[in-house]
Amino acid sequence: MHDVQHPAAAGGIFDRLDADWAALCADPAVRQAVTDWLTDDHLADGIAAVTDSWTRALGPAQLLAALRPVTGTATDPLTDAILRALLRRAAGRDRSAELAARVIVQAMLPAAVRITRGQVRPTYGRTRDTVGHVTVAALYEVARSGRIHHRPGRAASNLTLDTLRLVLAELAAEQGSGAEHLSAAAPLVDTAPSPYRIARAHEVHAAAAAAGVAANGPDGEHEKYGARVEVLELLLDAMEDGALSAADAKVLARHYLGGVPDAEAAARVGSTPGAWQRRRSRALARLRTSRLRAAA
């Protein structure tokens, strides 16, 4: 059975996960467990409203429907709240935690399919199903990790980005044994951005836009898929760690990514160029300190 949000092109492990999900949805014990979760976390009424269901009839199917809203952004706060509640449960050590992580995996399958498609390399032995297994395993590991992002924006985007990082690290480690042979072919390789760089860039840019720190800048491939992505990730991580406020991160993004002069940036907010420059310098100092602590 294919989910409507990742149709026939998925296949393999994703088909099996869909079949397993159908069985979970039909299990009365699972339905009762989910209803109890939603009641305990004070989410039942919100989910019942957006899924047009009775509170006592809520189960995995309704929970998944709320986690994959098909309307506008009005349901985003509820979606974030549900996903964060599930992540808190999934960080436990009991069977309830395993079930919560399984719900997260099912909710994130469309993102997992996108990541998998971007990493398939037939010449390296990376088939769709082998990469799919790596992606699903990474997604489950992230779901159970206990790391819950509180930066502004969709929690799903942050979860996708963490999964993508783990997948790239795992695939890079697998490829390491053949690195010497592959390096000989480097002059023959297409220099266009690889699918994994494009996928990573899209996730970072989406998270940055949701956090309000995106800034217009050059559209060259190096900026869009390379250095620009690195800077945005740096700012997002600093916000997550509490080293930078969203406002200070935006100050740095405007200057280093948007190329906005201090005088123009200051004028936009009714400040002076000197005051704006001092604010930017202090924000940059906090960013550097936080990175040094992270590296220690």
Side-chain angles (χ1 to χ4, degrees):
M1 180 185 79
H2 284 295
D3 187 277
V4 293
Q5 297 197 42
H6 49 86
I13 187 173
F14 300 106
D15 278 338
R16 294 192 292 276
L17 286 170
D18 279 343
D20 176 70
W21 178 254
L24 284 175
C25 290
D27 188 331
V30 172
R31 290 202 301 270
Q32 186 60 56
V34 170
T35 301
D36 291 343
W37 290 353
L38 300 177
T39 301
D40 292 344
D41 293 335
H42 307 289
L43 296 168
D45 290 339
I47 293 176
V50 301
T51 59
D52 194 23
S53 308
W54 294 103
T55 300
R56 63 177 178 272
L58 295 180
Q62 291 73 30
L63 182 54
L64 182 64
L67 282 167
R68 295 184 185 171
V70 294
T71 56
T73 58
T75 57
D76 284 355
L78 176 63
T79 301
D80 277 354
I82 296 169
L83 188 51
R84 290 189 177 115
L86 285 171
L87 287 167
R88 285 191 291 270
R89 289 189 176 276
R93 299 299 175 193
D94 55 11
R95 294 194 65 183
S96 177
E98 295 176 1
L99 179 56
R102 179 63 185 86
V103 175
I104 293 170
V105 167
Q106 191 68 26
M108 297 298 296
L109 279 191
V113 170
R114 292 195 301 271
I115 291 173
T116 298
R117 286 172 175 161
Q119 302 310 311
V120 174
R121 304 284 192 282
T123 55
Y124 294 164
R126 294 187 194 172
T127 66
R128 183 175 57 200
D129 212 41
T130 56
V131 178
H133 276 86
V134 172
T135 303
V136 172
L139 176 56
Y140 185 82
E141 183 175 339
V142 171
R144 295 294 306 274
S145 69
R147 185 181 186 194
I148 303 174
H149 289 283
H150 294 285
R151 67 171 67 130
R154 294 289 299 276
S157 296
N158 298 324
L159 186 56
T160 300
L161 185 56
D162 284 346
T163 301
L164 179 60
R165 287 172 176 166
L166 201 57
V167 169
L168 297 181
E170 182 66 25
L171 294 177
E174 289 182 0
Q175 186 178 319
S177 60
E180 293 182 3
H181 300 287
L182 292 173
S183 63
L188 305 178
V189 177
D190 188 353
T191 58
S194 61
Y196 87 80
R197 290 183 66 195
I198 294 174
R200 174 171 170 258
H202 286 170
E203 294 299 339
V204 171
H205 283 293
V213 299
N216 294 328
D219 291 328
E221 288 183 352
H222 177 67
E223 291 81 5
K224 184 183 293 185
Y225 301 116
R228 188 176 181 82
V229 172
E230 299 295 337
V231 173
L232 286 174
E233 274 197 294
L234 199 63
L235 295 175
L236 290 171
D237 286 343
M239 290 174 61
E240 181 68 25
D241 296 340
L244 287 180
S245 66
D248 283 344
K250 190 170 185 178
V251 168
L252 295 176
R254 281 180 175 176
H255 182 79
Y256 291 103
L257 298 179
V260 179
D262 288 336
E264 180 181 339
R268 291 180 183 179
V269 297
S271 182
T272 66
W276 184 265
Q277 187 174 27
R278 287 192 295 273
R279 179 179 181 180
R280 176 168 56 79
S281 296
R282 288 194 296 269
L284 182 59
R286 287 194 294 273
L287 178 62
R288 286 172 173 165
T289 300
S290 71
R291 293 307 91 196
L292 288 173
R293 287 175 179 169

